[in-house]
Amino acid sequence: MYKQIAQNRQRTIWLVLLFSVLIIAVGFGAAQYFDTPVILLIAVLISVFSSWNSYYNGDKMILKLSNARPVQPDKELKQKQIVNLVENLCITAGLPVPKVYIIPDKAPNAFAVGRDPKHASIALTEGLIEKLEKVELEGVIAHELSHIKNYDILLMTVTITLLGVITLVADWTARNRMWSSRNNKSEGTNVIAIVYLLLIILAPIFAQLIYLAVSRQREYLADSSGALLTRYPEGLASALKKIAKDQNKLKFANRATAGIYIINPLKTSKGAFSEMVSTHPPLKKRIAALENMNV
């Protein structure tokens, strides 16, 4: 576990450095072409602010993007029971109690975000709360608490936030390209077009490389750690089966955030290549590992 924590921290540093180099390189190229040093300064400021923001505010952005709302234990009995489950498991795991959020969606799923155990949040969909039994909910919550304890949340939160910045930069460049196309007097039109195409190509490649760099072993480790926490691996195994069989589609999930959910909420194609580049290990292998556990 301590090795996993150290690796996640190191990968986060490398991720921030890679992102900064990419943004600054684009800014440097644009500054050289237009002979305007201020562009490079802007690129440096964007990289610094984005890295800072992804660390301190990335979780809030992801929760908002996922339409997550703070739990209301005083108003709903089921939500109060969820808070009690989280608190009891945190006592067992020796973790501070994270903030709990509810996503108003019928599709059963869950995720955890944050920068460390003291600044972590867990989000559960309404569908998950309604469709799972208590032991199954405990398994899912224990799995997410394991992600918090292992600092998986730090790496994934920063990854998603920085990917969003790259997408925004690509979109901004696209708009400038359109504007320049309408005003053919600009000699930078061709360069803006090239930068735009590069960003459009690099953004999904960057995302996939990061997801591949984030070892899928994190899910196996969270599964096993969660099962040890509850002492009942069958509960999590049963929960994974129910989530996978459910036909409801999670409305607010996208390619950037799919990797943080306990099960990928997006429909993926089957095959050896799809399995190789997937953000999650094969579900059958996860379930089999849980069913073969002795606790």
Side-chain angles (χ1 to χ4, degrees):
M1 181 184 71
Y2 295 107
K3 182 180 179 182
Q4 180 78 7
I5 293 172
Q7 288 178 342
N8 281 332
R9 285 174 169 168
Q10 290 173 1
R11 286 170 179 164
T12 302
I13 293 172
W14 281 111
L15 169 63
V16 171
L17 290 175
L18 177 61
F19 165 82
S20 300
V21 168
L22 176 62
I23 295 297
I24 292 173
V26 171
F28 177 78
Q32 291 295 310
Y33 184 88
F34 293 107
D35 194 24
T36 309
V38 71
I39 296 178
L40 178 58
L41 176 60
I42 292 173
V44 172
L45 291 175
I46 289 175
S47 66
V48 172
F49 174 77
S50 299
S51 299
W52 176 88
N53 191 50
S54 67
Y55 183 81
Y56 287 102
N57 298 312
D59 56 339
K60 300 179 184 66
M61 296 171 65
I62 294 170
L63 288 165
K64 185 175 182 179
L65 185 64
S66 303
N67 199 33
R69 303 168 185 175
V71 69
Q72 295 180 314
D74 296 334
K75 295 183 179 180
E76 295 190 28
L77 178 60
K78 285 187 177 180
Q79 294 190 17
K80 182 178 180 180
Q81 293 171 343
I82 291 297
V83 172
N84 290 337
L85 286 177
V86 173
E87 290 175 345
N88 291 337
L89 287 169
C90 283
I91 291 172
T92 305
L95 286 171
V97 180
K99 295 178 181 178
V100 182
Y101 288 80
I102 303 297
I103 301 173
D105 199 295
K106 293 182 179 180
N109 223 314
F111 67 79
V113 288
R115 64 179 185 269
D116 56 46
K118 292 182 180 179
H119 304 88
S121 301
I122 289 180
L124 310 173
T125 64
E126 289 181 349
L128 187 85
I129 297 172
E130 293 172 359
K131 297 172 184 178
L132 299 192
E133 302 295 331
K134 180 181 177 181
V135 291
E136 295 168 338
L137 282 170
E138 284 181 331
V140 172
I141 293 171
H143 172 98
E144 298 305 334
L145 289 177
S146 296
H147 277 313
I148 292 172
K149 194 168 187 175
N150 297 340
Y151 279 75
D152 294 330
I153 55 170
L154 171 64
L155 181 56
M156 296 308 296
T157 299
V158 172
T159 297
I160 293 169
T161 310
L162 294 185
L163 174 60
V165 172
I166 292 178
T167 303
L168 287 174
V169 171
D171 183 60
W172 176 81
T173 311
R175 292 179 182 181
N176 275 273
R177 176 174 177 261
M178 292 173 62
W179 183 86
S180 297
S181 298
R182 294 173 185 174
N183 299 273
N184 294 324
K185 297 178 181 180
S186 174
E187 65 174 354
T189 300
N190 292 334
V191 170
I192 292 177
I194 293 172
V195 172
Y196 166 67
L197 290 174
L198 283 174
L199 287 172
I200 289 298
I201 294 170
L202 286 175
I205 293 176
F206 181 80
Q208 193 59 57
L209 286 175
I210 293 302
Y211 279 139
L212 291 175
V214 180
S215 172
R216 288 182 294 171
Q217 287 297 116
R218 75 186 189 280
E219 293 299 333
Y220 287 123
L221 183 59
D223 285 344
S224 60
S225 299
L228 288 172
L229 185 57
T230 62
R231 296 292 175 180
Y232 190 66
E234 292 86 353
L236 178 55
S238 178
L240 293 177
K241 291 176 184 178
K242 284 188 177 180
I243 297 172
K245 289 180 180 179
D246 193 89
Q247 296 301 311
N248 290 290
K249 185 178 180 181
L250 195 59
K251 297 176 183 178
F252 294 94
N254 55 52
R255 289 180 63 186
T257 60
I260 63 174
Y261 286 89
I262 189 168
I263 287 183
N264 192 327
L266 305 181
K267 299 294 182 181
T268 55
S269 58
K270 296 181 180 179
F273 179 76
S274 296
E275 180 178 317
M276 183 177 64
V277 299
S278 174
T279 58
H280 291 68
L283 189 59
K284 289 183 179 179
K285 292 183 179 180
R286 291 175 65 185
I287 294 172
L290 286 166
E291 292 177 339
N292 292 326
M293 280 188 67
N294 294 315
V295 295

